[in-house]
Amino acid sequence: MTAIVEILSALFLLMGVFLFLVSAFGIIRLPDVYTRNHAASKSSTLGIMFILIGTLLYFYYEHGHFDFRVVLAIIFIFMTSPVAGHLIMRSAYHTGVKMWDRSVQDDLKKTR
């Protein structure tokens, strides 16, 4: 049972690291602030959640220590990170940051 939990927690950690790498490549490669912020907020949120879940599983099954603060951190990050990304994009839009030339849809254009 312990080996399965170790493999499972390692998979969660690796998926979290992979999502952080995707986020970093998205920040580097994507053309404007809106798409970069999208990559940073979405994949980083999932990445940190996977890492925290892997950490929670490992310490619970390996040491018998259930840390409720990790669960609270998962809930807090899941609730606040997408909202923060959305607010950053919205404030960038309202301060006049240009969209990429090849962007095809502007949903906030009607609200101006």
Side-chain angles (χ1 to χ4, degrees):
M1 182 70 180
T2 305
I4 293 172
V5 172
E6 286 179 359
I7 291 171
L8 195 61
S9 63
L11 285 176
F12 273 115
L13 290 174
L14 289 174
M15 287 190 316
V17 169
F18 173 74
L19 287 172
F20 273 123
L21 283 174
V22 168
S23 177
F25 286 128
I27 290 170
I28 293 170
R29 295 286 300 168
L30 292 175
D32 65 351
V33 69
Y34 304 106
T35 53
R36 287 180 187 156
N37 191 14
H38 180 77
S41 63
K42 305 300 184 216
S43 59
S44 294
T45 302
L46 283 176
I48 193 69
M49 286 178 55
F50 280 138
I51 288 175
L52 288 175
I53 289 171
T55 304
L56 183 71
L57 284 176
Y58 178 77
F59 281 109
Y60 181 68
Y61 282 105
E62 189 70 27
H63 300 289
H65 178 71
F66 182 79
D67 196 357
F68 194 68
R69 290 177 293 186
V70 175
V71 176
L72 287 177
I74 292 170
I75 293 169
F76 180 75
I77 290 170
F78 183 71
M79 291 175 63
T80 59
S81 182
V83 174
H86 176 75
L87 291 177
I88 290 170
M89 282 200 268
R90 201 167 177 92
S91 64
Y93 185 81
H94 287 295
T95 55
V97 176
K98 299 272 186 212
M99 294 178 72
W100 186 36
D101 296 339
R102 295 183 183 175
S103 295
V104 293
Q105 187 172 355
D106 186 3
D107 288 340
L108 294 176
K109 193 173 188 176
K110 295 175 187 172
T111 62
R112 278 192 168 183

